[in-house]
Amino acid sequence: MNSLFTDLRYAVRGLRKSPGYTSLCVLTLALGIGANGAIFSLVDRLMLRPLPFAQPDRLALAYMTNGGSSGNAAPDRLPWSYPKFEAFAHAQGVFAQLAPFVSDSINLTGAGAPERLEMEMVGPDYFHLLGVPPVIGRGFGGADAKAGGPVVAMVGEGLWRRRFGGDESILGRTLHLGRVPVTVVGVVPAGFHGLTGEAEVWVPVTAASTLWYPEALSEEHNHFLEVVGRLRPGVSRQQLESEMERIGKVVAAAFPVPAQIDDGSVWGAGGVPLAEARRDPFVRRALVVLLAAVGAVLPIACANLAGLATARAASRRRDVAVRLAVGASGGRLVRMAMLESVVLALAGAVAGLVPAVALVRGLTAMRPEALGAWGVRSTELHDLAGATVDWRVATFCGVVALLTSIVFGLGPALASRRLQVVDDLRKGGASLAGGAGHGRRSGRRPAGSLLVAGQLAVATVLLMGAGLLMRSLWALQRVPVGVRTEHVLTFAVTPADGAYGENTAGPFHERLLERLRALPGVESAALGTCVPAAGESGCNSTRVMSVDAVAVPRESAPAVGWHKVSPDYFRALGVPLRAGRTFDARDRDGSRRVVILNETAARRLFPRGDAVGHRVQLGTMGLNGEQHGEIVGVVADVRYRRLQDEPRLEAYLPDAQVTLAGSTAFLRTTGDPLALVPAVRAAVQSVDRDLPIYRVRTMKEQLGFALSKARFGSLLLLVFAALAMGLAAVGVYGVLSQSVDARRREIGLRLAVGAAAREVEGLVLRQGMQMALAGTLAGVALSLAAGGVLRSLLFGVPARDPSTLAATAVLLLGVALLACLLPARRAARLDPTLLLRQE
């Protein structure tokens, strides 16, 4: 042990004497290990850790299935209706407990300012089944499950502290969800947001008949309930699947589909472990691929470090030879070399925690819309929010560091046992060149040159991909959305169910718009159902059923997005009018039904360009039972879905002729839109004091969300490309440093016979740039061959764009040149007198 600690102190002292070498190694390891640690943190949080519930391996999700009678396609997974759930609960024998649940958003009132909350309606066993006890109060009991009776609620701890200051007197307090009074009976622990991932308030599932409508629980084919259950001890997955198949047949027989809606599909039931159902397969695959991609960086780092370690070993040949001469064993020398590698690796692991923390915080701090664009669901967003660099990640980094130290340190360490003691002592300092006996090899290309060229090729491919994605992002940012995004504020307002019926929704909107227009700094105010650049969700769709009373064949009926808008909608968003007029006071309930089309719809339905004055029938949507509407105007195209997609057919219906109370408001302002938010909230509540506003953002923010997927992909690939480029630069430096050390005698002779310093510098630069050029050209060839891989992710730029290729090559060669300069200048400054004296 004494000798071990002595060797450890020697390793630390030796590294302190070589700060350049030590810093370079630690930086390389920090980048490689830190990136792997960050991705492992996400994988650990989303895939490896068990669900935060009691005995999560015994939890399963039960669902209904509906598939074609042919059985060729996999059946769809569907929720249960309440009568079918009761039949399932009575017939099943594999679950010890069952709990239905469903999510909804609702207005919270009676506790200060109204607020829009996510709510779960759950069965009485829901919290006990999951092992989530209340912080204070109680959970739901059998008495709470009575339909039509008083409604009780549990609130999340975050809501409890945010709205009620953590006051325990909340128990027994009456709040209002929508317009229904509810009594608070308990507080749910912090961090639990329900199985849907966003809930802040919970009510019994039987409250659906009060909060929604009386028939919600009695409709046999109203499928809205998810069901979670705890399996009985000893029940296997095969038994679960067999039992659910049996139950599916029982339920299907008990609730036959009415003939008028029977499409011939086969109904059944199935079950799957909750952990499997909760994790999106796309996210799992993406994380595994990401971890593999980041893991591939470590071999590059190890190769670079091995080259640096070899160069360092070459510079210490005489020191090692002296130790062998005075009796040091080969094993002791290997141990000393490996201890130095271990010290470097552990230092790199500690330093790697810094980029790991930064990467994890950066990813978890991203807006949900950005991650949602990559398939991360709300349940996973809350899991991801808890990702951190904890002891598990630190342990992972430590294990990776130790393995890395073995990989890059073992070769140079074993090479120290093969030294020729007498030759190295006789050559003295000249042994740094490998001795005269190595003269034949001094002109050869270093062994690491091929590896470094490969690293540069990989870096070229990654940089090329990042460059294409960045250009694609730039092109997306220049896509015309169809609206003027400057100085526009948007927010959603959704009255409680039943608050405004057919005859009151119109007057309510008129009063609301009147208050909003009266605000200082508001140029125009409007209501609509769809937000431009809203992503994949877009707006409601229907089909054109007839044009001028001529039916359109069902198979060729074009899909149309439909919008309910107020008269100032086009003015508030700055949508140009192309023909006819926009909506005005004439377009009221009871008057002639009218429609406005966008340019794409007008061209498709009326190729001659005379859309105004014709009539269209739009499925069964809106228009208060009258499906036909006269076209009174044509407006410019607006992209409501992905920016990459071409504008689709859109139809606008006047707000006063459509009986929908929920809307999104659009305000065009003269100044900062967000500065108006307090005044806007006050104006809305002056119309309805129980009406909250939510999803408050500017149109520029909305456009930013639409670009989040492209921005995230570009940034991610750019980070990996920069990492690969940095490691490749380290590799170039390491190989050239090793080459300079191996050719010190040759360089000394050149300088002694009159070679100029810049000639020696040019010699080393040429060697390095030849290596860099070979790697870059190979990377360009690989980029051209693999260009099609990114084609589906690009917009407005070809997958084999010459200018991006050229810029990538120039950038990499520039970085390689910088990496070559230090070894070249060191070679040019060698003292030939000292080298010849050492001979």
Side-chain angles (χ1 to χ4, degrees):
M1 293 301 296
N2 286 336
S3 64
L4 178 64
F5 285 118
T6 299
D7 293 345
L8 183 60
R9 287 194 298 271
Y10 175 79
V12 173
R13 187 168 64 247
L15 292 174
R16 290 177 60 185
K17 290 181 178 178
S18 304
Y21 168 78
T22 303
S23 300
L24 199 57
C25 289
V26 170
L27 177 61
T28 302
L29 284 166
L31 293 175
I33 295 176
N36 278 268
I39 302 303
F40 173 79
S41 175
L42 304 184
V43 172
D44 175 54
R45 187 70 184 181
L46 292 178
M47 293 178 56
L48 303 181
R49 292 194 184 191
L51 295 177
F53 309 127
Q55 296 181 310
D57 58 315
R58 306 304 301 162
L59 297 176
L61 191 72
Y63 52 85
M64 295 205 73
T65 60
N66 180 257
S69 57
S70 63
N72 294 329
D76 296 327
R77 295 183 180 181
L78 298 174
W80 303 78
S81 67
Y82 193 76
K84 291 179 181 179
F85 161 70
E86 289 186 314
F88 157 55
H90 179 74
Q92 67 86 26
V94 292
F95 291 100
Q97 290 177 298
L98 284 172
F101 64 97
V102 62
S103 66
D104 190 16
S105 58
I106 198 165
N107 298 338
L108 170 68
T109 59
E115 182 178 355
R116 190 75 174 178
L117 295 178
E118 292 300 317
M119 172 187 69
E120 276 190 344
M121 300 180 184
V122 301
D125 289 336
Y126 181 77
F127 293 101
H128 184 263
L129 182 152
L130 296 176
V132 180
V135 175
I136 60 171
R138 65 173 179 85
F140 299 139
D144 301 321
K146 184 179 179 181
V151 181
V152 297
M154 299 180 69
V155 300
E157 186 175 18
L159 176 64
W160 175 47
R161 297 192 181 280
R162 184 178 77 246
R163 294 293 298 264
F164 308 99
D167 187 357
E168 294 189 7
S169 66
I170 190 176
L171 298 179
R173 183 170 177 176
T174 299
L175 307 177
H176 286 79
L177 296 178
R179 293 179 176 267
V180 176
V182 300
T183 303
V184 178
V185 297
V187 176
V188 176
F192 180 72
H193 295 277
L195 292 180
T196 54
E198 297 178 330
E200 290 191 278
V201 63
W202 290 260
V203 298
V205 70
T206 49
S209 61
T210 304
L211 293 174
W212 288 353
Y213 55 96
E215 299 80 16
L217 300 178
S218 60
E219 294 174 336
E220 297 179 354
H221 302 288
N222 179 14
H223 294 257
F224 65 94
L225 285 174
E226 304 286 347
V227 175
V228 63
R230 180 171 295 279
L231 295 171
R232 298 183 184 275
V235 174
S236 66
R237 179 163 184 171
Q238 290 74 19
Q239 289 174 302
L240 168 65
E241 293 174 350
S242 176
E243 177 73 353
M244 293 306 298
E245 183 178 356
R246 180 188 70 81
I247 291 173
K249 296 177 181 178
V250 172
V251 173
F255 298 93
V257 180
Q260 62 269 26
I261 62 172
D262 188 2
D263 61 357
S265 59
V266 178
W267 287 82
V272 66
L274 181 62
E276 182 178 324
R278 189 175 170 88
R279 303 296 187 233
D280 192 326
F282 172 83
V283 176
R284 290 201 299 268
R285 289 193 298 269
L287 284 175
V288 170
V289 171
L290 191 57
L291 185 61
V294 177
V297 172
L298 272 181
I300 298 176
C302 290
N304 288 343
L305 293 171
L308 293 173
T310 301
R312 178 173 170 79
S315 67
R316 300 171 65 188
R317 290 171 67 94
R318 185 174 185 275
D319 176 66
V320 174
V322 170
R323 289 178 175 272
L324 285 172
V326 297
S329 66
R332 178 79 178 271
L333 293 176
V334 170
R335 186 175 71 184
M336 290 172 60
M338 288 304 300
L339 278 174
E340 188 172 279
S341 298
V342 170
V343 170
L344 280 174
L346 292 179
V350 173
L353 293 177
V354 176
V357 169
L359 284 171
V360 170
R361 287 183 177 177
L363 185 57
T364 56
M366 293 182 67
R367 294 184 182 272
E369 289 84 352
L371 294 173
W374 281 79
V376 182
R377 299 178 299 187
S378 59
T379 54
E380 291 161 323
L381 287 174
H382 285 282
D383 291 343
L384 188 62
T388 183
V389 178
D390 55 11
W391 67 268
R392 297 161 65 95
V393 180
T395 302
F396 172 81
C397 291
V399 171
V400 170
L402 290 176
L403 294 176
T404 301
S405 68
I406 295 174
V407 172
F408 82 80
L410 191 59
L414 293 176
S416 64
R417 304 184 59 178
R418 299 194 295 268
L419 293 179
Q420 302 297 321
V421 178
V422 177
D423 286 346
D424 282 297
L425 288 177
R426 182 186 298 121
K427 294 166 191 169
S431 65
L432 299 176
H438 296 276
R440 293 188 305 273
R441 300 182 58 183
S442 63
R444 294 183 182 178
R445 195 173 302 280
S449 297
L450 185 61
L451 180 62
V452 171
Q455 296 172 22
L456 285 164
V458 173
T460 302
V461 174
L462 290 176
L463 273 177
M464 175 66 179
L468 289 173
L469 288 178
M470 293 295 289
R471 290 199 59 191
S472 179
L473 175 61
W474 173 253
L476 277 175
Q477 290 174 330
R478 302 179 67 182
V479 168
V481 182
V483 301
R484 291 191 291 118
T485 58
E486 302 82 6
H487 302 294
V488 176
L489 180 71
T490 75
F491 59 90
V493 286
T494 305
D497 290 338
Y500 300 99
E502 291 188 16
N503 299 323
T504 56
F508 160 69
H509 287 167
E510 290 179 1
R511 293 195 306 272
L512 177 61
L513 289 174
E514 181 181 354
R515 297 288 198 284
L516 293 174
R517 293 191 192 103
L519 293 177
V522 174
E523 290 185 353
S524 57
L527 297 174
T529 49
C530 303
V531 181
E536 292 289 352
S537 58
C539 306
N540 297 316
S541 294
T542 184
R543 289 192 176 273
V544 174
M545 305 302 293
S546 70
V547 177
D548 292 332
V550 178
V552 177
R554 182 172 182 178
E555 61 275 8
S556 61
V560 178
W562 68 274
H563 311 252
K564 177 200 69 169
V565 301
S566 64
D568 276 348
Y569 178 83
F570 304 106
R571 178 187 172 198
L573 287 176
V575 181
L577 178 67
R578 300 302 191 202
R581 65 174 178 88
T582 59
F583 299 135
D584 55 33
R586 291 172 288 175
D587 306 314
R588 305 185 61 82
D589 187 22
S591 65
R592 176 175 56 107
R593 306 307 177 188
V594 293
V595 177
I596 292 177
L597 301 181
N598 71 338
E599 288 183 286
T600 298
R603 283 195 302 267
R604 170 75 180 275
L605 300 176
F606 306 96
R608 294 184 298 177
D610 57 347
V612 177
H614 291 272
R615 296 176 63 82
V616 293
Q617 177 185 354
L618 300 176
T620 58
M621 296 286 115
L623 299 182
N624 285 347
E626 289 194 23
Q627 301 172 23
H628 294 83
E630 180 182 341
I631 302 169
V632 297
V634 176
V635 295
D637 290 333
V638 177
R639 282 178 164 86
Y640 288 97
R641 295 199 172 189
R642 298 193 316 161
L643 295 177
Q644 297 94 320
D645 298 336
E646 291 297 320
R648 67 172 185 169
L649 283 69
E650 309 283 356
Y652 300 89
L653 311 177
D655 173 80
Q657 295 181 351
V658 182
T659 58
L660 295 174
S663 295
T664 297
F666 301 89
L667 304 184
R668 178 162 295 281
T669 67
T670 56
D672 179 12
L674 294 177
L676 284 176
V677 172
V680 167
R681 183 174 285 111
V684 171
Q685 290 173 12
S686 70
V687 177
D688 185 340
R689 63 184 178 86
D690 293 333
L691 188 59
I693 65 173
Y694 59 103
R695 286 205 292 267
V696 180
R697 61 187 59 150
T698 67
M699 273 305 303
K700 283 192 173 182
E701 287 178 323
Q702 178 63 44
L703 185 58
F705 297 152
L707 294 169
S708 60
K709 181 176 181 179
R711 186 180 294 114
F712 180 71
S714 301
L715 179 62
L716 193 63
L717 194 55
L718 187 61
V719 168
F720 288 125
L723 181 60
M725 183 174 63
L727 291 175
V730 171
V732 171
Y733 170 81
V735 167
L736 281 186
S737 295
Q738 179 184 358
S739 175
V740 169
D741 286 335
R743 301 174 64 183
R744 288 168 66 100
R745 181 173 179 271
E746 173 194 340
I747 293 172
L749 289 174
R750 287 176 180 272
L751 292 170
V753 298
R758 71 172 171 274
E759 293 177 340
V760 173
E761 188 172 343
L763 179 69
V764 177
L765 285 176
R766 279 196 301 274
Q767 177 185 339
M769 293 309 293
Q770 287 174 358
M771 179 172 51
L773 184 61
T776 303
L777 291 176
V780 169
L782 287 174
S783 298
L784 291 174
V789 175
L790 286 177
R791 184 175 290 112
S792 62
L793 302 176
L794 300 178
F795 175 81
V797 58
R800 297 177 177 86
D801 181 55
S803 59
T804 306
L805 270 175
T808 299
V810 170
L811 176 61
L812 265 178
L813 291 174
V815 171
L817 179 62
L818 292 176
C820 295
L821 284 177
L822 189 58
R825 290 182 177 178
R826 183 157 54 87
R829 294 171 182 172
L830 291 176
D831 186 352
T833 306
L834 178 60
L835 291 172
L836 294 176
R837 184 181 299 124
Q838 289 174 344
E839 278 295 310

